[in-house]
Amino acid sequence: MTDAVLISETIEPGIVRLAFNRPDKLNALSSEVIRRLDEALDRIAADSGVRVVILTGAGERAFVAGADIGEYRGRRAKPFIAYQHESRRVFDKLESLPKPTIAAIRGYALGGGFEIALCCDVILCAASARLGLPEGLLGLSPGGGGSQRLVRAAGKYVASEVMLGARRITGERAFQLGLAAAVCPDEELTTAALERARAMLKVAPLAQAEMKRLIRIGPDAALPAAQTLEQEVLFRLYGTDDAEEGVAAFLDKRAARFRGE
Ligand code: COA
């Protein structure tokens, strides 16, 4: 499906590409973009034919350059707070989507753009990628989980440099820091994202959904509780048809056909 501000298209069986599509505004997140993203995530969650989502930005210059600052003018608190609540809800929905997500970043991923990337399971950066949380330059601070996800993902000193100095992280540095799974020339980004998405199609969907939950929830729990959670997940998966199929396919030396059951 294509609409003005968010393009949603199946690019290969099982793989959907969501492209933020306001290139003249560096794909800034207007309220409408947030609404469209919310709807797209609901459609994707409900469609068992969709296995992997690639998020990207239209045009050469940006993934997403943050919230649409034009909507901030006038210091009206009510719509501002509503926008922040909505963004947080939708970003959380993205993070907890029970299917793998890949952020493929070319150019600016600032503010809400970086926050969206931090909600994805894999970040791939083109050499041109510039990641940052520059809200301090506006006299503000992040509101869509960016400060908290970045400090958890990259530690206090990286988060401090990025926020207190409004420093942008290059694609190469994001890779060195372990934020990005890879950095590649800009023209290879689409291929790199597709390669990873295809690999994800081979992993059982229920296992992916459960492992996503483990990765999301585990680090906030004490280790023994997190390990108990891990084993609960494994024991539940062991009883599924997909586990039976996966083991049988290995022993029969054939590709597994998972049905998500
Ligand atoms: N909200 C609204 N519009 C934005 C935007 C945003 N977050 N980011 C960029 N734009 C718009 C610009 O206003 C400009 O529109 P115009 O051509 O109608 O004037 C267009 O996108 C191109 O941006 P421009 O600033 O001219 O490009 P640049 O190369 O000089 O600078 C950035 C690029 C990303 C450094 C700069 O646009 C920027 O700092 N953006 C804001 C980033 C930010 O603070 N994000 C967090 C928001 S809470």
Side-chain angles (χ1 to χ4, degrees), residues 22-30 61-62 64-72 80 83-84 108-113 115 132-138 140-143 168:
R22 298 179 74 208
D24 54 326
K25 293 289 176 191
L26 304 185
N27 302 323
L29 297 170
S30 61
R61 296 200 57 214
V64 167
D68 189 330
I69 300 169
E71 293 190 10
Y72 284 5
F80 177 79
Y83 173 88
Q84 297 299 331
Y108 296 111
L110 302 177
E115 291 178 324
L133 295 172
E135 286 87 345
L137 296 175
L138 303 172
L140 299 170
S141 57
R168 296 180 197 139

Side-chain angles (χ1 to χ4, degrees), residues 5-22:
V5 295
L6 184 76
I7 298 169
S8 173
E9 56 182 359
T10 301
I11 49 174
E12 282 187 15
I15 304 175
V16 161
R17 171 178 175 269
L18 291 182
F20 298 98
N21 188 33
R22 298 179 74 208

Side-chain angles (χ1 to χ4, degrees), residues 44-125:
I44 287 167
D47 183 348
S48 61
V50 181
R51 293 282 320 281
V52 182
V53 185
I54 297 172
L55 289 93
T56 192
E60 308 288 301
R61 296 200 57 214
F63 176 71
V64 167
D68 189 330
I69 300 169
E71 293 190 10
Y72 284 5
R73 199 193 291 271
R75 285 177 69 193
R76 294 187 318 271
K78 224 172 148 183
F80 177 79
I81 291 169
Y83 173 88
Q84 297 299 331
H85 283 317
E86 227 8 47
S87 302
R88 175 179 170 180
R89 187 182 66 75
V90 176
F91 295 176
D92 287 352
K93 185 183 281 192
L94 171 63
E95 185 182 48
S96 57
L97 189 77
K99 311 182 184 211
T101 52
I102 299 170
I105 299 177
R106 196 180 277 122
Y108 296 111
L110 302 177
F114 194 11
E115 291 178 324
I116 286 174
L118 288 165
C119 290
C120 291
D121 302 313
V122 171
I123 298 176
L124 295 179
C125 283

Side-chain angles (χ1 to χ4, degrees), residues 85-236:
H85 283 317
E86 227 8 47
S87 302
R88 175 179 170 180
R89 187 182 66 75
V90 176
F91 295 176
D92 287 352
K93 185 183 281 192
L94 171 63
E95 185 182 48
S96 57
L97 189 77
K99 311 182 184 211
T101 52
I102 299 170
I105 299 177
R106 196 180 277 122
Y108 296 111
L110 302 177
F114 194 11
E115 291 178 324
I116 286 174
L118 288 165
C119 290
C120 291
D121 302 313
V122 171
I123 298 176
L124 295 179
C125 283
S128 68
R130 297 290 181 272
L131 283 49
L133 295 172
E135 286 87 345
L137 296 175
L138 303 172
L140 299 170
S141 57
S147 65
Q148 299 313 300
R149 289 194 175 98
L150 181 61
V151 73
R152 283 164 173 74
K156 168 183 165 178
Y157 297 106
V158 172
S160 299
E161 196 185 27
V162 167
M163 288 190 283
L164 308 186
R167 301 270 299 186
R168 296 180 197 139
I169 300 175
T170 63
E172 181 61 41
R173 179 121 173 86
F175 175 59
Q176 289 163 2
L177 290 168
L179 285 169
V183 58
C184 63
D186 280 44
E187 59 278 13
E188 291 171 21
L189 184 66
T190 305
T191 310
L194 261 175
E195 268 172 18
R196 278 193 161 67
R198 287 182 192 132
M200 288 167 163
L201 291 178
K202 294 185 183 151
V203 178
L206 287 179
Q208 283 172 327
E210 292 282 17
M211 290 189 288
K212 275 197 68 158
R213 216 163 52 83
L214 282 179
I215 291 166
R216 191 174 75 249
I217 295 170
D220 287 332
L223 187 59
Q227 282 189 278
T228 300
L229 183 67
E230 181 191 59
Q231 288 206 324
E232 284 169 3
V233 161
L234 172 63
F235 300 158
R236 200 160 46 242

